[in-house]
Amino acid sequence: PTAVVSTQTATRGGTFRIAGQLTGDVPSLDYDRTNGSAMGSIANLTGVKLTQWDERPDSPGPVENVIPDLAESWETPDKGLTWNFKLKKGVKTSDGLEVKASDVVWTLDRQAAIRTPTGYLQTNLRDLYTGKKPNATAIDDYTLQLKLNNPDADFLALMGSHWWAVEHKDVITKKGADEGKSAPGYGDIKGVDQIRGGGPYYPTEYVPASGFKLKRNPNFYDK
């Protein structure tokens, strides 16, 4: 349906409820280990991506347009094979941990290592990967380079898709026990306290077969 701009004056605070298709317990709190739409929705609310789809009601362009999220700008010097992203500084989790280029690389590595045979992002963007390894390099804390084996017209849109969200390595590996379920060294998410991205919200509680409670990330970059 077409988005409609409300004529009501917005007020801060209150409770916002989202109903989904969760009819039972989530198979896993780890989005990299489940294809469930419930955890995908949580990842979209708690994480950031390099870009985001422009879905603002007053947007001047179509929804297919992409606008910055974690990345503030990008360029390709060779017509779509190499992409250099400049990342925003000060994008932090609710714990105050800054999200940097190395976290993006680690996220891509983790998803590819855990999901079998391939994750959603890898399935839809095969040219970013050589085998199971993403062609991703952190040049420095705020410069990320991604290389494609072939140009992909959907690349920038996929960097804002619901198939992934940037995770923070320290949150998962320091707080979570590594049970080595399928990818030893990448941590196992077992509680909501490990779901801490740089997005606008963070979960405080999960009630099995019922839903999640979230709070506003006080460190979210977009005030």
Side-chain angles (χ1 to χ4, degrees):
T2 303
V4 178
V5 179
S6 173
T7 58
Q8 297 179 346
T9 302
T11 58
R12 293 187 178 275
T15 301
F16 178 48
R17 292 183 175 177
I18 304 176
Q21 296 176 322
L22 183 62
T23 57
D25 196 8
V26 294
S28 172
L29 291 176
D30 193 334
Y31 182 44
D32 288 336
R33 298 186 189 279
T34 176
N35 292 332
S37 60
M39 290 312 301
S41 298
I42 296 299
N44 282 324
L45 292 169
T46 61
V48 289
K49 298 155 189 186
L50 292 179
T51 65
Q52 57 184 317
W53 297 353
D54 190 357
E55 298 178 304
R56 297 169 295 179
D58 57 349
S59 171
V63 78
E64 290 80 6
N65 281 358
V66 294
I67 56 178
D69 194 9
L70 177 60
E72 63 181 12
S73 65
W74 49 84
E75 62 178 4
T76 174
D78 51 11
K79 297 183 179 180
L81 287 175
T82 303
W83 290 86
N84 299 316
F85 293 87
K86 287 295 183 182
L87 306 187
K88 291 184 175 73
K89 296 181 180 180
V91 176
K92 296 181 179 180
T93 70
S94 59
D95 296 334
L97 299 173
E98 189 171 14
V99 181
K100 298 180 180 179
S102 58
D103 295 303
V104 182
V105 175
W106 188 80
T107 296
L108 296 173
D109 281 338
R110 185 177 194 268
Q111 186 184 86
I114 287 178
R115 290 207 175 186
T116 302
T118 59
Y120 277 159
L121 183 61
Q122 188 175 357
T123 298
N124 287 276
L125 189 55
R126 294 185 182 277
D127 283 311
L128 178 59
Y129 299 79
T130 301
K132 292 278 284 184
K133 186 70 176 176
N135 306 322
T137 304
I139 305 300
D140 55 45
D141 285 348
Y142 305 106
T143 307
L144 172 73
Q145 185 176 86
L146 301 180
K147 290 189 175 183
L148 303 181
N149 297 317
N150 294 287
D152 190 317
D154 292 329
F155 173 68
L156 286 177
L158 289 171
M159 290 297 94
S161 75
H162 63 277
W163 293 308
W164 78 300
V166 180
E167 298 164 324
H168 200 291
K169 177 181 179 180
D170 289 346
V171 173
I172 296 177
T173 58
K174 287 184 178 180
K175 289 186 176 181
D178 186 353
E179 298 177 340
K181 290 181 179 178
S182 57
Y186 284 101
D188 294 315
I189 298 178
K190 301 169 65 178
V192 293
D193 62 319
Q194 292 172 269
I195 305 174
R196 297 288 186 270
Y201 300 96
Y202 68 97
T204 59
E205 182 182 356
Y206 169 62
V207 179
S210 177
F212 293 82
K213 291 184 178 180
L214 301 96
K215 286 188 176 181
R216 183 175 65 87
N217 178 2
N219 301 315
F220 185 50
Y221 73 85
D222 187 349
K223 302 304 179 184

